[in-house]
PDB file of all heavy atoms in Angstrom:
ATOM      1  N   LEU B   8     -57.518  -0.383 -58.716  1.00 98.00           N
ATOM      2  CA  LEU B   8     -58.939  -0.048 -58.741  1.00 98.00           C
ATOM      3  C   LEU B   8     -59.611  -0.424 -60.057  1.00 98.00           C
ATOM      4  O   LEU B   8     -58.942  -0.645 -61.071  1.00 98.00           O
ATOM      5  CB  LEU B   8     -59.117   1.465 -58.530  1.00 98.00           C
ATOM      6  CG  LEU B   8     -58.762   2.025 -57.152  1.00 98.00           C
ATOM      7  CD1 LEU B   8     -58.694   3.539 -57.208  1.00 98.00           C
ATOM      8  CD2 LEU B   8     -59.777   1.568 -56.115  1.00 98.00           C
ATOM      9  N   GLY B  13     -66.353   8.330 -66.032  1.00 98.00           N
ATOM     10  CA  GLY B  13     -67.117   9.556 -65.845  1.00 98.00           C
ATOM     11  C   GLY B  13     -67.647   9.796 -64.449  1.00 98.00           C
ATOM     12  O   GLY B  13     -68.131  10.889 -64.151  1.00 98.00           O
ATOM     13  N   GLY B 137     -39.477   9.300 -57.969  1.00 98.00           N
ATOM     14  CA  GLY B 137     -39.477   9.681 -59.382  1.00 98.00           C
ATOM     15  C   GLY B 137     -40.821   9.339 -59.992  1.00 98.00           C
ATOM     16  O   GLY B 137     -41.278   8.203 -59.908  1.00 98.00           O
ATOM     17  N   ASP B 143     -44.646   5.698 -70.203  1.00 98.00           N
ATOM     18  CA  ASP B 143     -43.267   6.132 -69.958  1.00 98.00           C
ATOM     19  C   ASP B 143     -42.346   4.936 -69.712  1.00 98.00           C
ATOM     20  O   ASP B 143     -41.130   5.046 -69.891  1.00 98.00           O
ATOM     21  CB  ASP B 143     -43.194   7.060 -68.740  1.00 98.00           C
ATOM     22  CG  ASP B 143     -43.692   8.473 -69.010  1.00 98.00           C
ATOM     23  OD1 ASP B 143     -43.600   8.944 -70.157  1.00 98.00           O
ATOM     24  OD2 ASP B 143     -44.184   9.110 -68.049  1.00 98.00           O
ATOM     25  N   HIS B 159     -35.198   7.197 -55.318  1.00 98.00           N
ATOM     26  CA  HIS B 159     -35.109   5.877 -54.699  1.00 98.00           C
ATOM     27  C   HIS B 159     -36.228   4.951 -55.178  1.00 98.00           C
ATOM     28  O   HIS B 159     -36.059   3.736 -55.228  1.00 98.00           O
ATOM     29  CB  HIS B 159     -35.241   5.985 -53.171  1.00 98.00           C
ATOM     30  CG  HIS B 159     -34.177   6.791 -52.503  1.00 98.00           C
ATOM     31  ND1 HIS B 159     -34.351   8.110 -52.146  1.00 98.00           N
ATOM     32  CD2 HIS B 159     -32.925   6.452 -52.118  1.00 98.00           C
ATOM     33  CE1 HIS B 159     -33.252   8.553 -51.565  1.00 98.00           C
ATOM     34  NE2 HIS B 159     -32.371   7.576 -51.539  1.00 98.00           N
ATOM     35  N   THR B 204     -59.074  -3.546 -72.463  1.00 98.00           N
ATOM     36  CA  THR B 204     -59.101  -4.337 -71.242  1.00 98.00           C
ATOM     37  C   THR B 204     -57.777  -4.119 -70.526  1.00 98.00           C
ATOM     38  O   THR B 204     -56.703  -4.255 -71.124  1.00 98.00           O
ATOM     39  CB  THR B 204     -59.308  -5.831 -71.549  1.00 98.00           C
ATOM     40  OG1 THR B 204     -60.584  -6.007 -72.158  1.00 98.00           O
ATOM     41  CG2 THR B 204     -59.255  -6.648 -70.266  1.00 98.00           C
ATOM     42  N   ASN B 213     -38.251  -4.563 -55.944  1.00 98.00           N
ATOM     43  CA  ASN B 213     -37.080  -4.023 -55.250  1.00 98.00           C
ATOM     44  C   ASN B 213     -35.917  -3.808 -56.216  1.00 98.00           C
ATOM     45  O   ASN B 213     -36.011  -4.146 -57.409  1.00 98.00           O
ATOM     46  CB  ASN B 213     -36.703  -4.919 -54.065  1.00 98.00           C
ATOM     47  CG  ASN B 213     -36.086  -6.247 -54.486  1.00 98.00           C
ATOM     48  OD1 ASN B 213     -35.752  -6.489 -55.650  1.00 98.00           O
ATOM     49  ND2 ASN B 213     -35.923  -7.147 -53.518  1.00 98.00           N
TER      50      ASN B 213
END
Side-chain angles (χ1 to χ4, degrees):
L8 292 167
D143 284 331
H159 298 98
T204 296
N213 72 10

